[in-house]
Amino acid sequence: MVYMKQSRLILPTGRVAPLARLGRALASKAYADAKFFLIVDENTYAHCLPEVVARVAAFEQAEFVEVPVGEECKSIEIAAQVWQTMLESDADTNTVVVSLGGGAVCDLGGFVAAGYKRGVRNINIPTTLIAMADAAIGGKTAVDLGGVKNPVGFFKMPDIVCVDTSFLDTLPDAEVVAGAFEVVKTAAVADADLFRSLVDGASACASAPVVARVAEIKQAVVGADPNDHGIRHILNFGHTFGHAVEAHRAAAGKPVSHGVAVGIGMALALRLSVLKLGFPRDDYDRYCRFLTKYVDFPRFTLRDTEALLALMRNDKKNRGGEILAVLMQRLGEPVINIALSDNEIRDTFLKGMAL
Ligand code: GLY
């Protein structure tokens, strides 16, 4: 059994704002000699850093480095530049790397912290919905290499994840919609009532209580399987199809965000769940209604289908040559490692949402 210390989650619940609580935590003895090194991108530099520095006294003397926006920051070269900057500013083993940004900045920051002087502490302050609900929690870090996403990385549990939904006010609507699908995904695998209230429009995916609940669910799943050997796979619901859709659309010059691709992937996985595992039809229909409010479901041709199948064969989660997916018996009852045949996958893309 591998022991991995869990992160402290500071959630947007209660009367004291999350950043104020982070400020208090960093004023404690555990951080008495710490030097903080903040990683920001152009957006968080402009829209989030001033607020964070104003509210967290420990950051007044912090160094910061700006990295490219989005996936572009996740490279060995950018990681090396950050390490170089840390060396030049005499960062020692008491340094705490603080990632202020979306999933890409948190992935990079964790990677940098895991490698610097054989490992220094890190803190995530996610600023996008997708990062608050998923990417910033759980210690998966990685950079991209040779056009492949995330082949090199470490498990590096952040000391603290500070989730402050007020940052969502600075985000474009499309970013919030993209994040909403990861929120719905987590609800689907763990909380049927929350799922129904989100897709029926009774609760907002980006509201503080919903984000806090989803962050807690993610933390609990990670706690049960920190190294991703089993139960944590449930968080990949919608991703086997979703990753293929994301890569295929990007190659076709019609990119969709990761979140939207996962939203489409969830519809495909739920349709298969109805057919293979008897997932209730009414919950499938309510999800499809939710999805199509925000996304034009793509029509996949025969040629697309072969390309998508090839992409799915390359998924790093497959084992022994089989394409594996997470399907659902019922809301809150995911089943991992369901092997799918090539014909089932072709049929799934060709039929789309139709049953
Ligand atoms: N995003 C899935 C996981 O953290 O395991």
Side-chain angles (χ1 to χ4, degrees):
M1 163 119 162
V2 181
Y3 174 75
M4 214 189 290
K5 189 171 164 264
Q6 282 278 61
S7 308
R8 171 171 173 190
L9 281 188
I10 298 181
L11 296 175
T13 48
R15 289 224 298 265
V16 182
L19 282 178
R21 277 185 278 145
L22 176 65
R24 282 185 202 163
L26 299 188
S28 72
K29 226 165 95 192
Y31 295 93
D33 298 319
K35 278 202 193 130
F36 297 93
F37 194 91
L38 273 68
I39 303 184
V40 295
D41 65 18
E42 192 185 330
N43 296 328
T44 59
Y45 173 74
H47 301 297
C48 310
L49 186 63
E51 160 99 356
V52 168
V53 173
R55 286 182 170 251
V56 182
F59 294 160
E60 265 166 31
Q61 306 299 324
E63 306 263 349
F64 73 91
V65 62
E66 187 181 317
V67 298
V69 173
E71 203 66 19
E72 234 191 282
C73 78
K74 284 179 55 178
S75 73
I76 295 279
E77 291 75 16
I78 298 288
Q81 282 171 25
V82 178
W83 283 322
Q84 185 69 37
T85 312
M86 291 172 75
L87 270 181
E88 283 162 12
S89 60
D90 293 326
D92 61 16
T93 50
N94 258 328
T95 301
V96 180
V97 175
V98 181
S99 302
L100 179 63
V105 171
C106 293
D107 273 9
L108 174 75
F111 183 89
V112 162
Y116 190 74
K117 306 224 168 179
R118 302 196 182 91
V120 294
R121 289 179 288 177
N122 66 310
I123 290 173
N124 286 340
I125 309 179
T127 57
T128 63
L129 183 53
I130 213 160
M132 291 177 193
D134 189 56
I137 301 166
K140 279 189 183 173
T141 79
V143 294
D144 302 338
L145 193 66
V148 182
K149 230 174 134 168
N150 297 336
V152 188
F154 312 96
F155 284 103
K156 171 73 173 79
M157 211 53 91
D159 260 29
I160 299 177
V161 181
C162 176
V163 177
D164 188 331
T165 42
S166 69
F167 289 124
L168 299 178
D169 300 340
T170 67
L171 279 188
D173 288 350
E175 273 281 347
V176 178
V177 167
F181 289 109
E182 288 284 359
V183 171
V184 169
K185 171 209 77 179
T186 304
V189 298
D191 186 336
D193 290 341
L194 179 62
F195 174 92
R196 293 194 186 107
S197 112
L198 293 172
V199 299
D200 293 348
S203 308
C205 291
S207 67
V210 169
V211 174
R213 168 79 183 125
V214 164
E216 276 172 340
I217 294 172
K218 167 107 197 223
Q219 170 96 333
V221 174
V222 169
D225 178 21
N227 286 312
D228 204 14
H229 292 314
I231 187 72
R232 186 167 173 170
H233 294 356
I234 65 173
L235 299 170
N236 293 327
F237 176 59
H239 284 62
T240 303
F241 288 104
H243 280 149
V245 169
E246 188 179 357
H248 181 255
R249 296 287 298 232
K254 293 184 238 158
V256 289
S257 67
H258 173 74
V260 165
V262 167
I264 293 168
M266 278 196 284
L268 297 172
L270 282 179
R271 177 183 171 278
L272 262 180
S273 301
V274 174
L275 296 175
K276 282 172 83 79
L277 303 183
F279 182 83
R281 177 72 199 254
D282 56 339
D283 285 325
Y284 173 64
D285 289 340
R286 60 188 352 137
Y287 177 70
C288 292
R289 280 195 299 274
F290 171 76
L291 175 71
T292 51
K293 261 195 247 166
Y294 300 101
V295 174
D296 286 330
F297 194 91
R299 207 184 131 263
F300 299 108
T301 63
L302 270 176
R303 185 185 291 178
D304 294 335
T305 301
E306 291 310 315
L308 286 155
L309 184 56
L311 286 163
M312 285 179 73
R313 284 201 192 99
N314 285 334
D315 192 312
K316 61 179 175 301
K317 291 181 293 300
N318 295 334
R319 292 285 172 273
E322 286 190 308
I323 296 179
L324 302 176
V326 181
L327 300 184
M328 304 277 286
Q329 211 137 28
R330 229 168 292 288
L331 289 171
E333 290 180 31
V335 187
I336 62 173
N337 295 336
I338 302 264
L340 303 179
S341 71
D342 288 3
N343 274 342
E344 272 174 323
I345 292 169
R346 286 190 185 98
D347 189 60
T348 300
F349 282 116
L350 287 173
K351 300 255 171 70
M353 285 187 295
L355 271 171

